[in-house]
Amino acid sequence: MSNVITINRRDGNDVGDARFGPVLKTALPGPLARKIIADDERLMSPSYTRSYPLVAKSGRGVRVTDVDGNEFLDFAAGIAVTSTGHCHPEVVKAIQDQAAELIHMSGTDFYYDHMTRLAERLSAVAPMPGPHRFYYGNSGAEAVECALKLARYHTGRQNIISFFGAFHGRTMGALSLTASKPQQKRRFAPFVPGVTHVRYPYAYREGLSGAQVEEFGLACARYIEDKLFKTMLPPEEVAAIILEPIQGEGGYVVAPDNFLREIRDICDRHGILMIADEVQSGAGRTGKWWAIEHSGVQPDIVCMAKGIASGMPLGICMAKAELMDWVPGSHASTFGGNPVCIAAALATMDVLEREGIRNAAVVGEAMLERLRTWVGRYPTVGDVRGRGLMIGVEIVKDQQSRTPVGPMRDRIVELAFERGLLILGCGETTIRLCPPLIVKREEAEIALDILEE
């Protein structure tokens, strides 16, 4: 017999409505799920991270159904990927139509009109002035690898500056730029040389608030010029500075606008390229096409993936046209620009432009408004931050010490799953909320009611 999760809201009304909330039919995990998990443990790489025993079978909108028929409210979105929701009918139709016409021919050796059509669409919403050129790969890490190689190729310089807390991917070049968790790098050295990491303006971890946040952001940026360039790293040998406008795996940490502006100025003064990794923060998630647009800063190169194709594997590197000056054979990908993936991306852009991006701004702000009250109500909620539907809630031992409590955060994530809500952690002690951009206000309220319980 179905169990509709019922949470008592602050206004006294129940939100146990099967139209919007979870419906759990079995203990978790259910019998079919347990068998599949046992097979997975026997056959799959143990390097995968699994936060809880969800075995997904189908999805529609913001709901995921597991193999035992349990329906969950999904505020993880496949790690911020299913931007238009699960199996959006327009995206599904685009995939089906394209798969019936042409699945693969390789855009590196031949031509597709799909590749230029998507490039034109993306150029029109780019965060920097055109003209632009595009490279298609299959993942965020591949987009970052392209940006890394392109920066070195174009400038003739070898060094790259990245930030502590950054996550840029797990392939060797992207991993060399990453500084999120030691396990991601353990026993894989040596890494690509020429990478220097500096502090990202994670103000809450420094015990700062108010005007101090802006001051700290400026200090983090100026450290590059005032210390790094004066002691160990000649600026004329730096090809690029790569950053996430909002760090993803690092804890959903929002960079202050003045930090981004100062990085841009440093790049301009020394002929360094500024790379914005928008793999998680882009494609409308923050209520604008690109998170960096909130600051008004214009990067030279943008990396995108995740939500740009609603779950189909597509990674894109977008650059100012004059920067992409390498010759044939310099960089390519057999599957990059796959026509089925691009069809999904074109349909995704239609949905995001029509409703998704505005909805992310409106529903995201409503969620943030409610979540910010938790800091005053719950001693273990240290900080609430984010933009649009990219929201982080930092869990601490207490607000005075701000001591991270990763195990407590992990337990909250597990308890949410047991109540039918899918969320994920990020950083050392933060919960991330990144639902599909088409999430309804009612669904967001139910998710927060479950989390608050």
Side-chain angles (χ1 to χ4, degrees), residues 229-423:
F229 288 172
K230 291 181 178 179
T231 57
M232 60 173 288
L233 192 62
E236 70 276 9
E237 294 182 4
V238 177
I241 298 176
I242 184 169
L243 55 80
E244 300 159 275
I246 301 176
Q247 281 196 340
E249 292 296 315
Y252 273 31
V253 183
V254 182
D257 292 346
N258 66 342
F259 165 79
L260 296 171
R261 288 193 290 268
E262 186 65 18
I263 293 293
R264 176 73 271 178
D265 289 344
I266 291 169
C267 288
D268 290 341
R269 283 194 289 271
H270 299 283
I272 297 168
L273 300 180
M274 183 178 185
I275 303 171
D277 181 340
E278 293 267 10
V279 168
Q280 187 159 176
S281 60
R285 177 148 295 281
T286 66
K288 293 183 182 289
W289 262 111
W290 314 107
I292 202 166
E293 289 184 281
H294 291 276
S295 68
V297 171
Q298 297 178 345
D300 299 299
I301 299 172
V302 178
C303 301
M304 66 191 86
K306 287 191 181 287
I308 199 63
S310 294
M312 294 297 286
L314 180 63
I316 304 171
C317 180
M318 170 172 60
K320 294 178 179 177
E322 68 269 18
L323 304 181
M324 203 169 278
D325 55 358
W326 44 20
V327 298
S330 299
H331 196 54
S333 166
T334 298
F335 297 105
N338 174 274
V340 180
C341 298
I342 289 187
L346 289 167
T348 297
M349 290 189 73
D350 289 341
V351 176
L352 296 184
E353 288 177 337
R354 185 178 67 240
E355 57 185 296
I357 296 176
R358 172 165 174 72
N359 191 67
V362 173
V363 177
E365 185 51 43
M367 289 178 64
L368 282 164
E369 184 179 355
R370 177 175 169 184
L371 283 164
R372 289 184 183 116
T373 68
W374 291 10
V375 177
R377 297 169 57 209
Y378 302 112
T380 55
V381 176
D383 191 32
V384 171
R385 52 185 178 259
R387 283 186 164 132
L389 290 172
M390 188 172 184
I391 299 171
V393 180
E394 184 149 347
I395 306 301
V396 293
K397 180 180 179 182
D398 59 75
Q399 294 177 355
Q400 289 69 41
S401 69
R402 303 190 182 191
T403 303
V405 281
M408 182 188 294
R409 184 272 315 276
D410 295 343
R411 183 60 181 148
I412 292 170
V413 171
E414 292 169 1
L415 288 171
F417 168 71
E418 292 173 9
R419 286 158 174 76
L421 175 65
L422 307 179
I423 56 176

Side-chain angles (χ1 to χ4, degrees), residues 103-164:
I103 293 177
H104 174 76
M105 190 63 199
S106 186
T108 63
D109 284 5
F110 306 101
Y111 298 91
Y112 301 133
D113 77 310
H114 315 78
M115 295 171 72
T116 54
R117 283 165 52 205
L118 180 58
E120 293 279 11
R121 291 282 299 276
L122 289 170
S123 184
V125 298
M128 67 282 205
H132 310 101
R133 284 184 180 270
F134 296 81
Y135 170 86
Y136 295 123
N138 307 285
S139 67
E142 289 184 41
V144 169
E145 293 282 352
C146 175
L148 170 62
K149 291 174 68 176
L150 179 62
R152 284 181 163 179
Y153 186 99
H154 175 76
T155 64
R157 304 174 180 185
Q158 67 271 39
N159 290 299
I160 308 287
I161 295 173
S162 185
F163 291 86
F164 293 119

Side-chain angles (χ1 to χ4, degrees), residues 39-58:
D39 290 341
D40 185 283
E41 290 176 351
R42 178 171 54 88
L43 295 167
M44 303 308 296
S45 169
S47 63
Y48 297 158
T49 56
R50 268 65 179 267
S51 298
Y52 38 77
L54 172 72
V55 182
K57 180 179 181 181
S58 64

